[in-house]
C-alpha cells in the first residue's frame, strides 16, 4: 500500500488532524503498513497571502503520496491534487492522525469527488 | 490637480459629491470612475460615450512540449498562479497578477504571453467636461490591474486636454481604495456623523494619512448622530471642507440620479465653496 499524507497540527501520530489543508501546520506522511512516519512542515504555505492550498499540494505531490486525509481542501488545491493523481478524503477533523489512518485502513474513508463539504 | 473622493464605507454619498463637484468645476476637468466593481458616476453625469476598449492582463501560457518541469516559474510566483507538481504543470489564470516574472525566468522559453480579460474602459464627455470609467468584468476578482489601465488612459487624456481630474474612488481602505488615491494631489474623505460612519472614517484616516497627501473631510447628512467626528477632525488637524445637511429633498434627488448641487442655490453654494477649499488645500500643500 502506498503512503498517505495527513494534515496535522504537529509531527506525530498522536497530534490532531489539522482541519485546514492549505494552511495546515504540516503533514504527517504515513506508510500504512509499517506506520513509519515522516513530517513535512507547511510553514511556508501558512504565511502566504494567496495560493496556500496550491503550495501545499506541491509539497504533497513531491512526497509521492497517493492519498491525503484532511478536514477540508479548497477548490484550487483540490484541482491540483486531482491533476497530480492524489486522492482526497475530507471531514476527518477532530481525530488524531493515528485515528484517521486507522479509519482509512479499515476502508471507512471515501475519496471526495469535489472540494465541497459534506 | 487630481482630486480623489474616497470614503471608509459605501453609501456615504461619495459619488454624489464627486458628481456635484464635476458639474460646477471651473476649467477643464475629467470625471473618472475608478470604483470599477460598481461604477455609478455615469448615472449622475450622463456622459456621451465616444470610446471603448477591452482591458487585458498578460498571463502565462505554457508549452508542455518544451517545459522541463524545472520549477523555476512556480518557485518564483508568490501567488501560486503557476505550479509544478512533479511532471505536471498547472496554471491558475484567475490568480495571476500579471507580473511577468514566470515568463522572464523560464530557462526553456516554454511560457508565452496569454490574456485574461479584466473589463471595459469607456470614455467620452459629460457636458463640457471629460468622462472616463472602468468596469470590472463580472467574475474578475482583482480590480487594481484594471484601475492601473484606467489611470494610464487618464494620463493620456490629461496630457491632451490639460486641466484637472476628479476620481470617484472605491469605498473602503483595501488595496483598490489605496490604488485609487495613490496618484492624487488631494484626498477628500466623505463621511457621515453616525457611529458606523465615524468608525469607518477613522479606519480611512489611518489608511490614508500615511500617504502624506493633503486630506480633508466632507460631512454628509450633517446633523445626524454625534459630535465625535468633529472632535476627531480637530484632534488630527483634519480640515472639514464642507457639510451637507440631512435633507429629504437630497435623498429624493439622489434616488432620481440628479446632481444635488443643482437642486438649490444653497447646495450649489456649498459645493462652490468645497471646490475652493479643495484648491486651497492643494495650494497650501504645494507651498509647504
Ligand atoms: S505572471 Fe507573475 S503572477 Fe502571473 S503566474 Fe507568472 S509569476 Fe505568477
Ligand atoms: S520555468 Fe519553464 S521549463 Fe521550468 S517548469 Fe516553468 S515553464 Fe517549465
Amino acid at each position: 500500500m502506498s503512503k498517505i499524507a495527513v494534515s496535522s497540527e504537529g509531527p506525530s501520530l498522536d497530534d490532531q488532524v489539522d482541519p485546514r489543508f492549505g494552511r495546515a501546520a504540516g503533514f504527517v506522511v504515513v506508510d500504512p503498513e509499517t506506520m513509519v512516519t515522516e513530517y513535512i512542515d507547511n510553514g511556508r504555505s501558512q504565511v502566504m497571502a494567496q495560493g496556500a492550498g496550491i503550495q501545499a499540494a506541491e509539497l504533497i505531490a513531491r512526497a509521492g503520496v497517493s492519498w491525503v486525509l484532511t478536514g477540508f481542501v479548497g477548490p484550487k488545491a483540490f484541482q491540483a491534487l486531482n491533476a497530480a493523481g492524489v486522492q482526497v478524503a475530507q471531514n476527518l477533523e477532530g481525530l488524531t492522525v493515528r485515528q484517521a489512518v486507522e479509519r482509512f485502513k479499515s476502508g471507512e474513508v471515501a475519496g471526495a469527488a469535489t472540494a465541497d463539504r459534506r | 490637480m487630481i482630486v480623489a473622493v474616497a470614503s471608509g464605507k459605501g453609501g456615504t454619498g461619495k459619488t454624489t459629491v464627486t458628481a456635484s463637484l464635476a458639474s460646477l468645476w471651473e476649467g477643464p476637468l475629467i470625471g473618472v470612475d475608478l470604483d470599477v466593481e460598481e461604477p455609478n458616476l455615469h448615472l449622475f453625469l450622463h456622459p456621451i460615450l465616444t470610446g471603448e476598449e477591452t482591458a487585458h492582463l498578460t498571463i502565462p501560457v505554457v508549452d508542455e512540449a518544451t517545459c522541463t518541469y524545472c520549477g523555476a516559474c512556480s518557485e518564483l510566483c508568490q501567488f501560486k498562479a503557476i505550479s509544478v507538481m512533479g511532471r505536471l504543470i498547472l496554471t491558475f489564470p484567475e490568480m495571476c497578477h500579471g507580473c511577468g516574472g514566470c515568463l522572464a525566468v523560464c530557462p526553456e522559453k516554454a511560457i508565452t504571453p496569454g490574456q485574461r480579460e479584466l473589463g471595459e474602459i469607456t470614455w467620452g464627455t459629460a457636458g463640457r467636461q471629460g468622462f472616463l470609467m472602468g468596469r470590472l468584468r463580472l467574475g474578475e476578482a482583482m480590480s487594481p490591474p484594471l484601475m492601473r489601465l484606467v489611470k494610464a488612459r487618464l494620463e493620456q487624456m490629461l496630457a491632451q486636454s490639460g486641466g484637472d481630474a476628479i476620481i470617484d474612488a472605491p469605498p473602503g481602505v483595501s488595496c483598490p481604495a489605496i490604488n485609487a488615491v495613490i496618484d492624487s494631489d488631494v484626498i477628500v474623505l466623505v463621511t457621515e456623523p453616525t457611529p458606523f460612519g465615524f468608525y469607518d472614517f477613522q479606519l480611512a484616516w489611518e489608511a490614508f494619512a500615511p500617504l502624506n497627501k493633503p486630506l480633508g473631510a466632507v460631512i454628509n447628512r450633517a446633523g445626524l448622530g454625534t459630535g465625535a467626528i468633529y472632535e476627531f477632525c480637530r484632534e488630527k488637524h483634519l480640515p472639514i471642507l464642507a457639510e451637507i445637511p440631512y435633507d429629504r429633498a437630497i435623498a429624493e434627488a439622489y434616488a432620481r440620479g440628479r446632481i444635488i448641487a443643482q437642486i438649490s442655490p444653497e447646495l450649489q453654494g456649498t459645493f462652490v465653496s468645497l471646490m475652493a477649499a479643495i484648491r486651497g488645500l492643494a495650494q497650501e500643500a504645494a507651498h509647504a
Side-chain angles (χ1 to χ4, degrees), chain B residues 62 66-74 84 89 105-108 110-111:
Chain B
V62 181
T66 324
C67 174
T68 57
Y69 310 105
C70 72
C73 53
S74 145
V84 176
I89 183 156
V105 84
C106 176
E108 309 298 332
I111 309 181

Side-chain angles (χ1 to χ4, degrees), chain A residues 44 48-52 54-55 57-59 61-62 76-77 79-81 83-85, chain B residues 74-75 77-86 88 90-92 94-97 142:
Chain A
R44 212 179 125 201
M48 288 179 77
Q50 179 188 315
I54 296 166
Q55 168 89 22
E58 278 180 18
L59 290 176
R62 225 172 285 155
K76 295 214 175 60
Q79 192 187 331
L81 288 168
Chain B
S74 145
E75 197 53 39
C77 181
Q78 0 159 7
F79 306 108
K80 286 288 150 199
I82 189 161
S83 167
V84 176
M85 310 251 222
L88 192 77
L90 295 174
T91 56
F92 297 91
E94 69 281 17
M95 288 166 66
C96 173
H97 288 229
M142 288 174 209

Side-chain angles (χ1 to χ4, degrees), chain A:
Chain A
M1 207 188 274
S2 58
K3 290 187 286 185
I4 55 181
V6 187
S7 64
S8 166
E9 290 175 2
S12 83
L13 282 169
D14 297 309
D15 282 302
Q16 290 288 311
V17 172
D18 196 321
R20 309 154 304 171
F21 171 74
R23 295 196 190 276
F27 297 96
V28 178
V29 176
V30 188
D31 180 327
E33 272 158 30
T34 60
M35 290 307 269
V36 170
T37 65
E38 282 161 67
Y39 183 64
I40 305 175
D41 185 81
N42 191 42
R44 212 179 125 201
S45 309
Q46 270 186 321
V47 298
M48 288 179 77
Q50 179 188 315
I54 296 166
Q55 168 89 22
E58 278 180 18
L59 290 176
I60 295 294
R62 225 172 285 155
V65 304
S66 56
W67 276 83
V68 165
L69 312 184
T70 186
F72 174 65
V73 176
K76 295 214 175 60
F78 192 88
Q79 192 187 331
L81 288 168
N82 226 346
V86 179
Q87 298 215 63
V88 177
Q90 302 183 105
N91 301 303
L92 293 167
E93 64 270 30
L95 303 176
T96 65
V97 173
R98 188 189 303 279
Q99 286 167 332
V101 174
E102 293 301 338
R103 195 178 283 196
F104 174 79
K105 286 207 284 192
S106 67
E108 283 171 50
V109 161
T114 68
D116 295 333
R117 264 208 185 267
R118 250 194 322 232

Side-chain angles (χ1 to χ4, degrees), chain B residues 12 52 75 97 118 132 142 178 181 208 240 275 278 284:
Chain B
T12 57
E52 176 180 21
E75 197 53 39
H97 288 229
L118 295 171
L132 171 66
M142 288 174 209
I178 301 289
V181 305
F208 297 147
I240 294 173
M275 176 182 60
I278 291 172
E284 226 176 86

